[in-house]
Amino acid sequence: MKHCIIIGGGIIGLCSAYYLQKEGHQVTVIDQSDFSSGASYVNAGYITPSHIISLAAPGIITKGIKWMFNPASPFYVKPRFDLDFFKWAIAFKKSATATKVASSIPVLKDMNLISRTLYEEMQTSKDFDFFYEHKGLMMFYKTDKAGEEEWNVGKKAIELGLKVENLSKEEVQKIEKNIDLNIKGAVYYHSDAHMTPNEFMPQLKSYLLKNGVSILENQTIEELQISGDKISAVKTKNQEFKADEFVIAAGSWTQELVKKLGISIPIQAGKGYRINVERTTNISIPAILMEAKVAVTPMNGFTRFAGTMEIGGINHTINPVRVNAIANAAENYYNDLKIYQEEKATAQCGLRPCSPDGLPFIGRISSVKNATIASGHAMMGWSLGPVTGKLVSEIIDNKKTSLDIQPFSVERKF
């Protein structure tokens, strides 16, 4: 048995704690928040085997430059003088090639499928009782161009063994009978499932506490003490914690944290927003509004509208222009829907840790023998939480990993 300290209490950190305690380790989770906010609570709740194309896709740079001048655009990069950002942007540009995207497709698919199975194992166990539905995901499009682009992705997914259909508007309306859609059609991925994040996270935290995991909130790590080629302890303002193994799962804060170890991991924060509509919308199947890049999820008791990717550093400022853009897009695709000002006023945001190539960083650092990194999942953090946690426990136990972790190498070159 080892004592493992996990820095970061989002979905990745708590899933790592879950699998480590299952293997009999003593686990402590330390987080700077109070475990009630952040990207793990405000995301769309998707488990997405369909998301086989990484964020660093060909053409995104051109779109990004165009969108940079539109504060309401789905993908917004805030220009700023920051060396880490420049390095990340160069690495992102190098990664946005057809070859690199093609090589990451099977990796992302396999990760998501394993994660879906792990969520289902949790859901059917006696330890949890959370909302989980496997209804698939519809990609709604308004233009033939968007429809063709998505169907090309759909055909790749079919080649990988996923069930995908290309539906006309009339075929979609036969499935979504109680809403009036303003679309041309949809690409329907049957592989996907969805959950209610702010229901699952407290359940997972409660399970961990019940099973002997120590959870320390509102504690910011100020120092990582190194002894030889290992971390010997971490220090917060008032306390020092020693352990055998350290997992850094600090999301968008990971890059700053690992600098204390003398290493550089390129991660930028990508801000996303969500609006909850806590009344009947009659929406029954999750959808992505393609041209607007807005995710729509029927959760347990409400409907969530989430979207935007805003690369603008670490900040939690709510930009009403972007919130309005999400609401306007939703009303534009769903004819009977109206999102009210008081609903927009309760919008929240979260910071997603984005790697330059759309693949997470999962693995050991060669220079620090007892440190494992688990970060950089971008928009797929929720979907990839369980598989990442399982991989972390396998790495620490020196077991054969559930899948090849070479693509997630912390020290890969960009």
Side-chain angles (χ1 to χ4, degrees):
M1 181 186 82
K2 294 176 179 175
H3 180 201
C4 305
I5 284 180
I6 298 169
I7 302 170
I11 185 70
I12 305 297
L14 293 192
C15 283
S16 298
Y18 177 78
Y19 288 101
L20 283 166
Q21 65 81 30
K22 275 193 165 306
E23 292 301 316
H25 298 295
Q26 180 191 346
V27 183
T28 300
V29 181
I30 304 174
D31 197 89
Q32 62 186 358
S33 79
D34 64 356
F35 292 85
S36 69
S37 62
S40 295
Y41 296 82
V42 304
N43 64 82
Y46 290 166
I47 298 109
T48 51
S50 68
H51 279 35
I52 55 176
I53 305 297
S54 69
L55 179 64
I60 192 71
I61 303 289
T62 310
K63 282 181 184 171
I65 291 166
K66 191 170 71 182
W67 283 338
M68 202 182 275
F69 304 101
N70 177 7
S73 64
F75 180 67
Y76 177 65
V77 179
K78 184 180 179 183
R80 62 192 195 281
F81 293 101
D82 177 281
L83 188 57
D84 288 334
F85 167 67
F86 284 130
K87 285 179 181 172
W88 181 90
I90 291 163
F92 185 89
K93 188 174 188 304
K94 281 185 190 170
S95 301
T97 67
T99 308
K100 291 214 171 182
V101 168
S103 68
S104 69
I105 284 173
V107 178
L108 291 171
K109 185 215 67 165
D110 289 347
M111 275 195 97
N112 275 289
L113 287 175
I114 293 170
S115 229
R116 191 184 70 190
T117 301
L118 294 173
Y119 269 126
E120 286 167 356
E121 282 175 10
M122 284 189 208
Q123 201 233 355
T124 53
S125 76
K126 59 178 178 23
D127 298 312
F128 295 97
D129 178 25
F130 57 84
F131 173 87
Y132 175 95
E133 286 189 335
H134 185 167
K135 287 185 170 181
L137 175 69
M138 290 204 186
M139 306 292 283
F140 290 158
Y141 58 85
K142 285 174 167 288
T143 62
D144 291 331
K145 184 173 182 286
E148 283 165 22
E149 282 177 7
E150 191 56 43
W151 182 231
N152 286 334
V153 176
K155 285 186 282 194
K156 285 194 183 94
I158 291 168
E159 286 170 20
L160 291 168
L162 302 181
K163 184 184 175 186
V164 191
E165 294 179 282
N166 198 358
L167 304 179
S168 66
K169 180 187 175 178
E170 291 68 34
E171 288 168 322
V172 174
Q173 291 283 192
K174 281 179 188 165
I175 300 165
E176 277 284 32
K177 295 184 176 71
N178 299 316
I179 53 177
D180 179 15
L181 288 161
N182 179 20
I183 60 169
K184 272 207 163 181
V187 176
Y188 187 12
Y189 295 89
H190 290 261
S191 51
D192 294 22
H194 66 286
M195 298 166 65
T196 304
N198 38 315
E199 173 189 78
F200 176 74
M201 288 295 285
Q203 282 194 31
L204 182 52
K205 182 186 171 192
S206 175
Y207 167 87
L208 293 172
L209 287 168
K210 206 162 52 181
N211 286 274
V213 173
S214 299
I215 292 184
L216 306 172
E217 55 188 51
N218 300 316
Q219 299 265 3
T220 302
I221 302 295
E222 295 190 348
E223 192 183 337
L224 300 174
Q225 292 186 334
I226 306 289
S227 177
D229 59 1
K230 289 187 172 182
I231 301 174
S232 57
V234 295
K235 290 182 89 169
T236 62
K237 191 176 180 183
N238 303 314
Q239 286 177 280
E240 180 179 291
F241 304 93
K242 294 184 186 309
D244 304 305
E245 294 280 352
F246 295 83
V247 179
I248 299 176
S252 295
W253 289 263
T254 299
Q255 184 174 33
E256 283 305 312
L257 203 52
V258 298
K259 281 181 182 176
K260 299 177 192 294
L261 300 174
I263 62 169
S264 177
I265 297 176
I267 287 175
Q268 286 290 309
K271 190 192 294 180
Y273 296 83
R274 71 96 179 114
I275 304 167
N276 288 345
V277 172
E278 296 180 3
R279 52 192 163 84
T280 304
T281 60
N282 293 321
I283 296 166
S284 70
I285 293 179
I288 289 181
L289 317 179
M290 282 199 56
E291 289 86 353
K293 303 279 190 291
V294 168
V296 182
T297 318
M299 293 189 177
N300 193 9
F302 61 96
T303 306
R304 175 166 288 178
F305 300 87
T308 85
M309 174 62 82
E310 182 181 326
I311 310 284
I314 303 260
N315 73 80
H316 286 91
T317 308
I318 302 276
N319 183 342
V321 173
R322 302 184 75 69
V323 174
N324 281 328
I326 292 170
N328 292 341
E331 291 172 359
N332 199 3
Y333 282 73
Y334 297 94
N335 285 325
D336 297 334
L337 179 71
K338 176 71 184 159
I339 297 179
Y340 299 112
Q341 189 52 47
E342 52 268 32
E343 290 163 333
K344 291 187 248 186
T346 62
Q348 291 185 350
C349 69
L351 301 178
R352 296 162 296 196
C354 300
S355 71
D357 61 359
L359 291 176
F361 296 102
I362 306 168
R364 294 281 197 188
I365 307 166
S366 58
S367 58
V368 187
K369 302 295 185 223
N370 63 343
T372 302
I373 306 295
S375 187
H377 296 72
M379 299 97 71
M380 282 186 274
W382 187 265
S383 190
L384 301 179
V387 68
T388 302
K390 192 166 178 61
L391 289 170
V392 165
S393 78
E394 290 166 347
I395 290 163
I396 285 173
D397 282 340
N398 294 312
K399 289 183 177 175
K400 187 177 189 305
T401 50
S402 299
L403 46 77
D404 178 15
I405 59 169
Q406 188 55 42
F408 318 125
S409 168
V410 178
E411 293 164 354
R412 64 186 182 267
K413 296 285 180 272
F414 295 98

